[in-house]
Amino acid sequence: QLQLAEFEGGSVQAGGSLRLSCAVSGFTSGYSSSGYCMGWFREAPGKEREGVAGIYGGRSYYADPVKGRFTISQDTAKKTLYLEMNNLTPEDSAKYYCAAAAPLCSGPSSWHEYNYWGQGVQVTVSS
């Protein structure tokens, strides 16, 4: 059973940066970049949860609203997934969730396959 725990959310002014982290545990075969998709989603009040970024087998994918501003990465030794967010805007304000698609994944943007979730962290960007 995978367990995901996000931390390091927070508040920032528009144009600022934040880094989200997600501690991952419970992989039976060890945390690695192969076999599982790892990703970040966000959900703003009144909106549906949307995929933001995913990573799988060394490939990463970004949703159009964050392309060029957000970077997803992972440290397999630390079993941690990261989301570096730059040039933030108020439209990026949402609760951000770390997620995994396991045991199989078609690709990092196969949002419907993500089946493990963290509890979420709030990101607030003020204008």
Side-chain angles (χ1 to χ4, degrees), residues 43-49:
E43 187 172 347
K47 296 185 178 180
E48 292 186 356
R49 188 173 299 188

Side-chain angles (χ1 to χ4, degrees), residues 74-115:
Q74 54 189 350
D75 186 327
T76 55
K78 294 182 179 179
K79 300 181 181 181
T80 303
L81 182 73
Y82 301 100
L83 184 68
E84 186 75 34
M85 305 184 292
N86 298 312
N87 195 21
L88 286 160
T89 73
E91 288 69 37
D92 295 315
S93 296
K95 195 166 187 178
Y96 283 71
Y97 297 87
C98 173
L104 298 175
C105 178
S106 302
S109 62
S110 298
W111 306 128
H112 64 284
E113 295 182 350
Y114 285 79
N115 54 346

Side-chain angles (χ1 to χ4, degrees), residues 57-81:
R59 293 184 292 127
S60 56
Y61 175 88
Y62 299 94
D64 285 343
V66 307
K67 201 171 293 183
R69 301 187 297 121
F70 289 14
T71 302
I72 187 171
S73 63
Q74 54 189 350
D75 186 327
T76 55
K78 294 182 179 179
K79 300 181 181 181
T80 303
L81 182 73

Side-chain angles (χ1 to χ4, degrees), residues 7 17 21 28 51 109 113:
F7 50 100
S17 299
S21 301
T28 57
S109 62
E113 295 182 350

